[in-house]
Amino acid sequence: MEISERDYDILVDTEITVDVMLGNSDITIAEFLKLGDGDIISLDKLAGAGGDIYVNQRIIGTGDIIVIDDKLAVRVQDAMDSDNVVRYFFDENLV
């Protein structure tokens, strides 16, 4: 499917939600219910491994977690090429 310039212009103005996953952990509901202030959940990634960048539950890249003005941010290190990202949005009917 060929993407027209008009469709592309509409796409680039569309807002999306970007999620960054630091890692995950499998715990039981009982363990979760026992969590309190100061408890720690160990994640499956090594320190310094960075985070996975997702759009609509699909990984589109990875990046380093950094702090800017007391807020967490992600510095993109590896990302899906722009043609594949555009194709993904059209395939998912996001536009």
Side-chain angles (χ1 to χ4, degrees), residues 51-54 58-63 76 78-80:
D52 296 326
I53 303 169
Y54 287 84
R58 179 173 180 185
I59 188 166
I60 63 160
T62 58
V76 177
D78 183 34
M80 183 185 297

Side-chain angles (χ1 to χ4, degrees), residues 16-78:
I16 60 173
T17 299
V18 176
D19 297 308
V20 179
M21 181 173 290
L22 299 176
N24 58 50
S25 181
D26 293 322
I27 62 174
T28 65
I29 292 174
E31 291 169 322
F32 179 78
L33 294 174
K34 291 178 187 175
L35 292 174
D37 289 350
D39 287 342
I40 296 172
I41 299 173
S42 183
L43 302 176
D44 63 349
K45 283 196 170 183
L46 297 174
D52 296 326
I53 303 169
Y54 287 84
V55 172
N56 291 356
Q57 301 177 339
R58 179 173 180 185
I59 188 166
I60 63 160
T62 58
D64 295 329
I65 307 304
I66 61 173
V67 177
I68 298 176
D69 297 329
D70 296 330
K71 292 189 178 186
L72 289 177
V74 62
R75 177 186 300 124
V76 177
Q77 293 298 321
D78 183 34

